Amino acid sequence: MNKPILLIWLTLREVDEFTATEAQVQRWTQSVPELEVIYAKTQEEFIRNLSKATYIFCFKFSEAWLGLTYRAKWIATPGAGKELLGPIPDRLNPTFGTFHGDIMAETVVGMLLAIRRGLLPGLGLGDANNPWPVHLPGRTTIAGSHAVILGYGNIGQCIGQKLSALGVQVTGIRHANFNQLDELLPTADALILALPQTPETDHLLNATRIAKLSKQSVVINVGRGNAIDEKALCKALKEGQLWAAFLDVMHEEPYPGGLLTETPRCYILPHASAFAPDYLDRAFDEWLHIYRTTYATPNNP
């Protein structure tokens, strides 16, 4: 009897942490001896094997390939963003990664500490005319401060837990209590966005809401770039209406340079808040748990 096939194609943005290695796939293969594992190194190889696959594990998927998935039961992606897979029919039971929270929470804590504890000048990101920043406006502690997290799902809650452990008062905003956002903004020492990309989140943080923040507030975005009006954000930073911003995501990626990089106290990362050497091993561990609990039953190998 032929074994069900697990088709793996994991490479994204030419990032090492998002590209499966032969050694990783070998380890994963040993954990599912009841499956035949096909590791596609290229998109062409992935498409060529789609018609054989029972289970599909990939970052991105095109609607044009759906006709080749007539044997497939399940398609999974390590990514949290649903835009990567595109429109997937229910028959394929699409699932998305939920393991990113712990990694991204460490990044957010690092961002906030770097800004509030005055670490950025030491990294060459301060004022070139102030090489010995003894007097640094904005330097404070984060314990006792108030962070508002906009998007309080799995990732937002992980961020909240780590900040709470450092003495930060955390308020999480979900869809159900979104009506509280505007009244909370003036109280936010840090506003952290961990939102998905949907039409409802487009420019959610606009000029009107940015104006409600205090001059000492820090904005951090690790969700999707569509949520912030970047021109309004940069204007507020330039005019001193906002203390700092740390953006892991932008409207245009890769970011070509321009307004954000030219704006004082606006720091950017290359969509890197979830980078970690074991990123894909964490992703496969989550895949394996779902497979074992949902699909690998005596009657459904």
Side-chain angles (χ1 to χ4, degrees):
M1 181 178 176
N2 294 331
K3 295 180 178 180
I5 289 175
L6 165 60
L7 176 60
I8 297 175
W9 175 43
L10 293 176
T11 180
L12 184 68
R13 292 163 43 200
E14 298 181 350
V15 173
D16 289 344
E17 289 90 340
F18 295 166
T19 302
T21 66
E22 296 274 5
Q24 283 177 311
V25 175
Q26 185 176 2
R27 289 198 305 272
W28 303 342
T29 300
Q30 292 171 352
S31 68
V32 284
E34 71 275 21
L35 301 180
E36 178 185 348
V37 177
I38 297 178
Y39 171 37
K41 296 181 180 179
T42 65
Q43 178 175 300
E44 292 72 24
E45 189 176 356
F46 176 71
I47 295 171
R48 192 166 59 246
N49 286 283
L50 267 175
S51 62
K52 306 175 186 177
T54 308
Y55 308 107
I56 302 167
F57 193 30
C58 62
F59 271 113
K60 49 191 176 181
F61 197 89
S62 170
E63 186 176 7
W65 306 336
L66 285 173
L68 299 172
T69 62
Y70 48 85
R71 296 180 189 272
K73 296 180 179 179
W74 171 35
I75 182 168
T77 176
K82 296 188 177 182
E83 69 276 5
L84 284 174
L85 287 188
I88 299 295
D90 290 342
R91 67 175 176 84
L92 289 176
N93 299 312
T95 59
F96 302 84
T98 63
F99 62 91
H100 311 79
D102 284 339
I103 307 172
M104 294 174 67
E106 289 189 4
T107 304
V108 170
V109 169
M111 290 172 171
L112 193 56
L113 287 172
I115 293 170
R116 289 308 194 197
R117 298 303 305 134
L119 306 182
L120 294 171
L123 299 174
L125 299 175
D127 184 353
N129 297 318
N130 183 21
W132 192 248
V134 175
H135 304 290
L136 190 65
R139 180 187 282 141
T140 184
T141 60
I142 66 171
S145 66
H146 180 210
V148 174
I149 302 178
L150 183 52
Y152 210 56
N154 177 68
I155 292 171
Q157 290 177 56
C158 287
I159 294 169
Q161 289 167 5
K162 280 192 166 48
L163 290 176
S164 293
L166 294 172
V168 177
Q169 177 193 348
V170 172
T171 303
I173 298 291
R174 301 174 182 266
H175 190 270
N177 63 329
F178 181 77
N179 59 348
Q180 299 177 18
L181 176 61
D182 288 341
E183 65 184 67
L184 286 169
L185 288 174
T187 74
D189 298 297
L191 176 65
I192 300 164
L193 288 78
L195 292 163
Q197 181 172 328
T198 67
E200 291 76 20
T201 62
D202 282 342
H203 282 196
L204 200 56
L205 188 61
N206 54 24
T208 301
R209 290 199 168 102
I210 290 172
K212 294 180 183 292
L213 293 164
S214 78
K215 293 183 178 181
Q216 297 303 314
S217 293
V218 173
V219 171
I220 294 175
N221 190 8
V222 291
R224 289 293 184 265
N226 70 302
I228 295 181
D229 181 337
E230 291 175 353
K231 290 183 179 179
L233 179 75
C234 291
K235 183 175 185 292
L237 288 166
K238 288 178 178 178
E239 295 179 356
Q241 297 172 356
L242 191 66
W243 180 247
F246 225 130
L247 309 178
D248 183 49
V249 288
M250 288 127 267
H251 282 269
E252 184 178 357
E253 296 181 11
Y255 189 66
L259 182 62
L260 295 174
T261 51
E262 295 165 359
T263 298
R265 302 181 313 284
C266 184
Y267 309 101
I268 67 173
L269 286 180
H271 205 138
S273 64
F275 283 11
D278 63 345
Y279 176 94
L280 287 178
D281 286 318
R282 292 177 186 236
F284 187 80
D285 286 346
E286 184 169 86
W287 181 93
L288 186 60
H289 173 74
I290 297 172
Y291 168 70
R292 293 280 186 230
T293 56
T294 305
Y295 295 95
T297 64
N299 298 321
N300 188 22

